[in-house]
Amino acid sequence: MKNKQIKLVMLLLILCLLPNGCSKKEKVHRVGILCALDYISEIPDSFKKEMHKLGYIEGTNIIYDVKNTNYEPEKEKQILNKFVKEKVDLIFTFPTEVSMDAKNIAEGTGVPVLFTFANIEGTHLVENIRCPGGNITGCRYPGPDLAAKRFEILRELVPTAKRIWIPYQKGYPIVTSQLEVLYPLAEAAGITLIECPAANAEEIEADLQARETSGDPGIDSMLIIAEPLGVTAEAFAVFGKFAFEHKIPVGGALISAGGYDSIFGVNVNLQSAAKESALLADKILRGRPAGTLPVVSAESFFQLNYKAAQKIGIHPPEGLLSTADELIH
Amino acid sequence: MNKNKNKKFRSLTFSVAVAFLSLSATVLIIANTLQIYFNICTQRDLIAGRQKLIAQEAADTVKGYILEKSEFLKTAVKVGKLINTDKSEQKLVMEKILGFNQAFRQVVLLNSKQQQILRQSRLSNLLSGQLTEQIKKRGEEILPEVLQGKTYISPVYFDSITSEPLIIMGVPVKDSLGNFQMIVLSEINLKFMWDIVNPIKAGENGRAYVVDSQGALIAFGDIGRVLKRENLLHLKEVAKFVSDSCAYNEGKIKMSKGIMDTCVATTHAHLGTPNWAVMVETPIYEAYAPILSSLNLAAITMFSCFGFSIVASHYLSKRITRPIIHLRDAAEKIGQGQMNTKIEHESFDEIGQLAEGFNQMVEDLQKTTVSRDALIKEVHERKNAEQSLEQTAEKLEQANQELKNFVYIASHDLREPLRKITAFGQLLEKSLGNKLEGDDAENLKFMVDGADRMSQMINGLLTYSRVNTQSQPFQTVDLNKTVKELQKFELSVVLEEKNAWIEIPSPLPCIEGDPVHIRQLIQNLIANGIKYQKKDSVPEITISSKPAADNMVRIEVSDNGIGIVPEYQNAIFTMFKRLHTRSEYEGTGIGLSVCKRIVERHGGHIGVESIPGKGSTFWFTVPRAKELIIAEIS
């Protein structure tokens, strides 16, 4: 009789525990984030906030492994390999070059890659916008268009400029596509583009030093394109100082470093990019193949530093002021 | 009866339960079905109304978004200096339009001949070419609209690079006199509409999306599908809108496959201008949740009621049939002889009354059975007594027979030595003659007399015993003839000696009897009448007859003898009973006993009526002759 009662109690306990035991435990997603550019280092936080809005609570159902580099290709590859080895649920990378590395490293491993702030033109990052293919998707950075837009705005701000100096990271893949856009525009406008490929700030400094010593800098304005070197504080401090000393307007990407400011920036809205990326990440984590999710385009964002412009005697026209998404004054 | 035996037993309890259950189930099913039907109708209308409302609100929101852009453009061209001014002024106006909202991607100013005067873009010039192509493509449809003072809104087209949906909105620029001067066209990026469509909720998991007049998806929460430029014409509701966008949406909810390939309840609201529609879909399980809930409730109610019906039917059937089963069991028990069986009943309804009646019946039956039992017992006792009596009679008869046999044998066997004694005594008396003297002669005489008397007595006994042992079958006996023969033979001597005469006043009847015994009977009675006479009296014997009851006849033999005192009239028929000494009247005391025995053998009675000193009348009854009886009957 006692045995029967014990068996009955045990059966009831098993029945009570069974639903819990059988219920699917909520998966804790692991996302590897690699930010390879200090300039856009606010993206991870914005991304996390957007993910939080979508129900991903850090430490509860999602764990982020955030790595920051600043154009350090080897280290970045190591980090990406580590992510792949750890079989993270998603690799979220930015900007372009590291996204390309991520695509290559993760290819065939089943680890999806989500990029943002990456230029897809000329990089073969995706097959096409509507169907990226592979196991990758992301938020597109309209590099050539933004380069052209930066050029147009710079011209509008400094209509007299005939020589535009363009510093960039030597060998950075998306530079070429931008230059390919800029050269025809410059030519049409009778403007000379002066390239300054450099490996680091010192090389930029050396270039500018050489111009200094020659007596004529030979530069009417400076244009920062989408690449990692021009937006580093070290590099900008070098050419920002030079520009300020020679009353040369600097624009393209909004940046302040060493007490010097650029006068405008046309970029994608980082928060918007983070939001779009979070929406895509949500779909991927829910099981949608990344390669089937169309690439979204981040909206461009025009910031005008009216104050900095005035410092160097530039008065932005009313039309530009009207179209600026953010006016700093 | 046999037919019924062959039939399979059908439980009344089961039948009653099934009947009740069937009835309950039928009522339940009908009631629930009706309730569910009306509930579904009501809920369906409610859901349709709610969904239509959501769709209409969403449509108003989307329309408001477009109208806002349209109104802004109209205001900008009214306020801004576009006519009779230089390009810088015009450019400024256009830049202000661009700056108003990110959705304005590009603005183009056309003259009255639709030639491009100026273009401003948020994009670089690299990407501005698509708008130019669209303007060229749709030039013919733009102008008529704008000339009428209306806002032109182009069909949706997609950005060749970003795949984002775009439209061109155009407003006329008129001078102060209202004359048409120019057109301002703006390319509007509809991706900014997504943010207002996405939050539109239709219930918990419902979706809203916007399609254009071609069925192309232009706004949806999953922007990837818009970017893929999906066309949703394969969805019924979308196809319906595309085929007849002006048709009145009657607001009825429809079930079909939705945008997520799931079954949904869908409806749409037409924007009018632009020619788009907002589709609202609610997953079927959610849309019909109240119905499902109501169905669940109905099902639970129905099953509960059904369960209750089962219990109730079981209870009621038991309640109805229990007394009947008790009746049946009781009947079986009574059939088995348990007459003290009673039915316990709780109810006081018809069944209770039936049980009461049954109990009463059993009680009565019990009483009857008790009486019957007593009767049976009595019969049984009587039978036993009868049997015992028969056995006793048999034993008595046997003993009697043995006695008769003994008497017969004894009298028969004693007669021979007695005859010898008598014969030799007489011889001795003759031979001795006078040689004996005194007492010896007297003693010898006594001996011979004694032997002679003993011989008479033995003969009497033998006669008595022969009545039963040597009887003849009954036959018709003519008493007249019998008396005549007696006068002629057995009584002739004594009649002559005594001078007696026999008178028969009327002829005697024929009777049914043993002729020998009847002859002996009449002889004894006549002889007695002659013998018991006063001295010197002439015996007169009269024989007469009278009818008696039961087909008997009474024969009376009267004499004029000494008569018999009343106290001895009954005793004279006892064997060896003598009223007189031998010296007075000769005799053995056996004759009347023999008469009595003969009469009794014939089923009759014998008696005497006598007046001492005057005479006696011996009477007896015997059966009449059968022939006479038959003759009378016939």
Side-chain angles (χ1 to χ4, degrees):
Chain A
M1 191 64 190
K2 261 191 169 181
N3 278 342
K4 271 189 177 177
Q5 283 176 346
I6 290 166
K7 279 178 186 173
L8 187 68
V9 169
M10 284 183 74
L11 186 70
L12 287 171
L13 277 172
I14 290 166
L15 286 173
C16 289
L17 294 171
L18 202 60
N20 294 327
C22 291
S23 63
K24 203 176 176 182
K25 223 177 177 180
E26 195 182 7
K27 186 179 177 183
V28 178
H29 301 286
R30 290 183 303 121
V31 177
I33 300 175
L34 177 54
C35 173
L37 189 62
D38 286 344
Y39 180 69
I40 51 177
S41 60
E42 67 181 84
I43 289 179
D45 286 339
S46 300
F47 176 74
K48 286 181 186 177
K49 277 181 192 170
E50 295 298 331
M51 289 295 278
H52 192 276
K53 286 178 191 171
L54 294 170
Y56 294 91
I57 315 298
E58 189 172 5
T60 302
N61 60 353
I62 196 162
I63 295 168
Y64 300 104
D65 186 359
V66 183
K67 303 290 183 192
N68 288 292
T69 59
N70 195 27
Y71 192 59
E72 299 162 84
E74 288 309 313
K75 191 179 175 186
E76 286 154 8
K77 282 176 186 166
Q78 284 177 7
I79 291 167
L80 290 169
N81 276 312
K82 177 178 166 280
F83 285 162
V84 169
K85 197 177 174 184
E86 288 173 353
K87 288 267 177 198
V88 293
D89 296 306
L90 178 67
I91 295 174
F92 181 37
T93 59
F94 37 90
T96 308
E97 186 163 68
V98 76
S99 299
M100 291 166 67
D101 289 339
K103 181 192 173 188
N104 293 332
I105 290 167
E107 194 165 15
T109 63
V111 178
V113 175
L114 174 67
F115 61 81
T116 192
F117 221 78
N119 198 345
I120 62 169
E121 285 82 2
T123 59
H124 303 293
L125 202 56
V126 294
E127 289 170 14
N128 63 62
I129 282 181
R130 289 162 68 181
C131 190
N135 204 5
I136 187 167
T137 190
C139 185
R140 166 179 168 266
Y141 181 84
D145 181 51
L146 286 189
K149 191 66 187 172
R150 285 173 181 182
F151 178 80
E152 286 167 8
I153 291 172
L154 183 64
R155 273 199 64 219
E156 200 163 349
L157 282 168
V158 194
T160 54
K162 292 294 175 189
R163 295 168 298 177
I164 298 176
W165 182 77
I166 302 173
Y168 60 86
Q169 181 75 46
K170 196 191 292 179
Y172 196 72
I174 65 166
V175 170
T176 311
S177 62
Q178 293 178 77
L179 291 176
E180 281 173 358
V181 168
L182 290 175
Y183 270 103
L185 291 173
E187 192 179 344
I191 292 170
T192 305
L193 298 179
I194 302 162
E195 292 182 43
C196 177
N200 47 45
E202 287 76 25
E203 286 188 16
I204 289 175
E205 192 173 14
D207 180 83
L208 292 174
Q209 194 65 47
R211 290 178 183 282
E212 183 79 62
T213 52
S214 67
D216 178 15
I219 299 170
D220 300 321
S221 64
M222 293 180 175
L223 180 67
I224 304 168
I225 60 170
E227 56 78 44
L229 183 60
V231 290
T232 58
E234 296 81 13
F236 183 74
V238 171
F239 65 79
K241 182 187 175 191
F242 183 86
F244 182 75
E245 287 172 355
H246 295 85
K247 300 282 184 192
I248 297 170
V250 182
L254 193 69
I255 185 166
S256 296
Y260 310 107
D261 302 298
S262 65
I263 58 172
F264 78 96
V266 179
N267 226 322
V268 297
N269 186 330
L270 295 183
Q271 286 179 354
S272 169
K275 183 183 173 183
E276 299 290 357
S277 301
L279 290 170
L280 288 170
D282 175 44
K283 286 172 188 165
I284 294 167
L285 293 176
R286 286 177 190 274
R288 296 268 293 274
T292 63
L293 299 172
V295 173
V296 295
S297 299
E299 201 55 28
S300 62
F301 194 68
F302 172 35
Q303 296 163 297
L304 183 61
N305 192 337
Y306 184 78
K307 201 173 168 183
Q310 279 194 327
K311 269 188 186 174
I312 56 172
I314 292 172
H315 301 285
E318 184 66 19
L320 274 185
L321 292 174
S322 300
T323 52
D325 296 305
E326 187 183 353
L327 194 61
I328 302 161
H329 53 87
Chain B
M1 195 65 187
N2 288 334
K3 278 183 183 176
N4 290 336
K5 271 187 178 178
N6 292 334
K7 283 180 183 174
K8 197 177 172 184
F9 173 73
R10 281 179 65 185
S11 167
L12 183 62
T13 310
F14 181 74
S15 300
V16 170
V18 167
F20 184 83
L21 206 58
S22 306
L23 191 66
S24 313
T26 309
V27 171
L28 275 173
I29 288 167
I30 291 170
N32 272 293
T33 307
L34 286 174
Q35 189 204 348
I36 288 166
Y37 173 74
F38 289 118
N39 204 347
I40 285 174
C41 290
T42 311
Q43 289 291 341
R44 196 176 53 193
D45 292 345
L46 279 173
I47 292 162
R50 190 189 65 180
Q51 200 143 308
K52 184 73 188 164
L53 200 65
I54 293 168
Q56 197 54 56
E57 279 181 12
D60 290 345
T61 307
V62 173
K63 195 171 182 178
Y65 177 82
I66 300 298
L67 276 177
E68 182 197 20
K69 305 293 177 284
S70 164
E71 289 305 313
F72 177 77
L73 269 185
K74 285 178 183 173
T75 308
V77 298
K78 270 185 187 173
V79 175
K81 289 180 181 175
L82 290 170
I83 304 167
N84 300 325
T85 184
D86 60 9
K87 279 194 175 180
S88 62
E89 281 294 323
Q90 291 170 333
K91 181 173 171 279
L92 182 60
V93 171
M94 292 162 76
E95 282 174 335
K96 282 188 182 293
I97 291 170
L98 288 178
F100 170 70
N101 192 294
Q102 279 191 312
F104 290 106
R105 282 223 310 186
Q106 299 187 73
V107 185
V108 176
L109 184 64
L110 302 179
N111 62 19
S112 57
K113 293 176 182 172
Q114 293 193 66
Q115 292 167 332
Q116 185 172 308
I117 301 169
L118 195 63
R119 183 176 65 190
Q120 286 297 306
S121 174
R122 296 179 69 86
L123 308 170
S124 70
N125 287 327
L126 290 173
L127 302 178
S128 306
Q130 198 176 357
L131 176 60
T132 309
E133 286 171 20
Q134 285 292 327
I135 292 169
K136 278 182 186 171
K137 189 178 169 183
R138 306 187 184 282
E140 287 182 7
E141 59 190 57
I142 295 171
L143 194 60
E145 288 272 326
V146 174
L147 282 175
Q148 288 178 25
K150 293 180 183 173
T151 301
Y152 169 77
I153 296 173
S154 75
V156 176
Y157 63 96
F158 291 88
D159 185 278
S160 56
I161 295 173
T162 63
S163 262
E164 290 163 356
L166 308 166
I167 54 167
I168 298 168
M169 188 178 279
V171 293
V173 180
K174 295 177 180 175
D175 60 20
S176 304
L177 298 172
N179 296 319
F180 170 73
Q181 297 293 328
M182 287 179 279
I183 304 170
V184 171
L185 294 175
S186 174
E187 186 180 58
I188 295 172
N189 191 342
L190 296 178
K191 73 183 273 185
F192 295 98
M193 191 173 72
W194 298 346
D195 288 337
I196 61 164
V197 173
N198 199 22
I200 297 170
K201 292 283 177 191
E204 286 291 315
N205 300 294
R207 295 162 193 280
Y209 54 94
V210 183
V211 293
D212 71 355
S213 58
Q214 304 301 311
L217 183 65
I218 56 176
F220 183 49
D222 184 356
I223 60 171
R225 298 188 64 170
V226 180
L227 297 177
K228 279 185 175 176
R229 303 183 195 180
E230 278 192 26
N231 191 295
L232 302 177
L233 264 176
H234 61 282
L235 300 181
K236 274 187 185 173
E237 193 69 9
V238 175
K240 186 187 167 195
F241 160 69
V242 171
S243 64
D244 189 5
S245 59
C246 297
Y248 172 69
N249 185 5
E250 67 272 31
K252 281 190 178 173
I253 197 160
K254 294 170 197 76
M255 282 186 285
S256 60
K257 195 175 270 189
I259 192 168
M260 299 304 288
D261 258 355
T262 53
C263 196
V264 294
T266 179
T267 188
H268 75 269
H270 184 209
L271 266 65
T273 304
N275 191 13
W276 304 341
V278 173
M279 301 284 161
V280 173
E281 292 178 356
T282 310
I284 206 75
Y285 64 85
E286 187 182 325
Y288 283 94
I291 293 174
L292 290 174
S293 167
S294 141
L295 279 174
N296 285 340
L297 192 65
I300 290 167
T301 309
M302 199 165 77
F303 280 111
S304 303
C305 290
F306 195 68
F308 176 75
S309 297
I310 290 171
V311 174
S313 64
H314 183 261
Y315 172 74
L316 282 176
S317 60
K318 283 280 179 191
R319 188 179 166 81
I320 290 166
T321 57
R322 195 188 297 123
I324 297 170
I325 290 168
H326 285 170
L327 269 173
R328 183 199 62 188
D329 294 345
E332 278 178 5
K333 282 182 182 174
I334 289 162
Q336 289 163 4
Q338 297 175 26
M339 296 302 289
N340 54 352
T341 306
K342 275 205 166 189
I343 301 168
E344 297 296 330
H345 64 93
E346 297 150 3
S347 62
F348 292 93
D349 48 15
E350 287 84 349
I351 302 282
Q353 286 177 346
L354 179 65
E356 276 291 332
F358 188 87
N359 284 340
Q360 186 59 47
M361 186 189 76
V362 171
E363 206 172 305
D364 294 346
L365 192 61
Q366 199 173 7
K367 282 177 188 170
T368 308
T369 309
V370 168
S371 306
R372 189 199 66 182
D373 287 350
L375 197 61
I376 288 169
K377 194 178 173 185
E378 193 181 329
V379 167
H380 186 68
E381 282 172 358
R382 282 187 183 184
K383 268 187 181 176
N384 286 342
E386 205 170 275
Q387 204 171 359
S388 173
L389 198 65
E390 275 177 8
Q391 284 172 355
T392 308
E394 200 176 330
K395 281 177 186 174
L396 200 62
E397 180 69 22
Q398 197 178 352
N400 200 24
Q401 189 64 42
E402 282 171 2
L403 186 64
K404 283 174 186 172
N405 291 341
F406 169 74
V407 170
Y408 178 79
I409 290 164
S411 48
H412 188 272
D413 290 351
L414 283 172
R415 210 163 55 160
E416 181 58 28
L418 192 60
R419 196 182 294 127
K420 282 180 179 173
I421 292 168
T422 307
F424 285 107
Q426 284 172 348
L427 285 173
L428 196 59
E429 197 176 17
K430 277 181 184 177
S431 64
L432 291 175
N434 296 324
K435 294 175 184 174
L436 292 173
E437 294 180 353
D439 291 337
D440 292 336
E442 196 176 357
N443 288 341
L444 180 62
K445 193 183 177 184
F446 285 157
M447 186 191 75
V448 171
D449 284 345
D452 192 42
R453 273 194 294 112
M454 185 176 278
S455 178
Q456 288 175 9
M457 284 177 76
I458 286 168
N459 283 334
L461 282 172
L462 199 59
T463 303
Y464 182 85
S465 66
R466 276 175 181 163
V467 172
N468 286 331
T469 55
Q470 292 183 359
S471 56
Q472 287 184 11
F474 283 12
Q475 54 187 280
T476 304
V477 178
D478 185 353
L479 291 179
N480 297 305
K481 190 180 172 185
T482 303
V483 173
K484 276 180 184 174
E485 282 178 356
L486 283 171
Q487 284 175 318
K488 194 176 178 181
F489 299 107
E490 284 91 343
L491 296 173
S492 61
V493 178
V494 72
L495 285 172
E496 195 177 345
E497 282 178 357
K498 297 288 182 176
N499 291 316
W501 53 275
I502 299 168
E503 188 184 359
I504 299 171
S506 55
L508 294 171
C510 290
I511 60 145
E512 194 76 15
D514 184 334
V516 177
H517 288 163
I518 293 296
R519 193 180 177 123
Q520 180 74 50
L521 168 65
I522 294 172
Q523 182 186 341
N524 284 0
L525 291 175
I526 293 171
N528 270 356
I530 294 170
K531 191 195 312 182
Y532 294 101
Q533 290 287 331
K534 293 177 289 248
K535 207 172 180 180
D536 301 325
S537 174
V538 177
E540 290 177 9
I541 305 300
T542 305
I543 303 171
S544 62
S545 67
K546 283 182 187 174
D550 300 330
N551 289 320
M552 301 294 273
V553 64
R554 175 174 164 131
I555 307 295
E556 293 177 351
V557 179
S558 306
D559 62 60
N560 55 344
I562 57 174
I564 304 161
V565 290
E567 57 266 31
Y568 294 123
Q569 284 178 5
N570 286 332
I572 56 172
F573 295 102
T574 307
M575 190 172 276
F576 304 125
K577 185 65 184 179
R578 285 178 58 84
L579 301 180
H580 308 280
T581 61
R582 204 174 302 121
S583 56
E584 288 176 316
Y585 297 97
E586 286 281 331
T588 57
I590 293 172
L592 286 176
S593 299
V594 172
C595 289
K596 187 184 180 192
R597 188 148 193 177
I598 289 170
V599 170
E600 283 176 351
R601 183 172 171 255
H602 283 78
H605 299 285
I606 191 167
V608 65
E609 292 164 3
S610 181
I611 301 168
K614 286 192 175 178
S616 302
T617 299
F618 286 87
W619 59 266
F620 65 89
T621 56
V622 287
R624 291 173 72 196
K626 282 181 184 174
E627 293 167 1
L628 291 175
I629 297 166
I630 293 165
E632 279 179 10
I633 292 168
S634 62

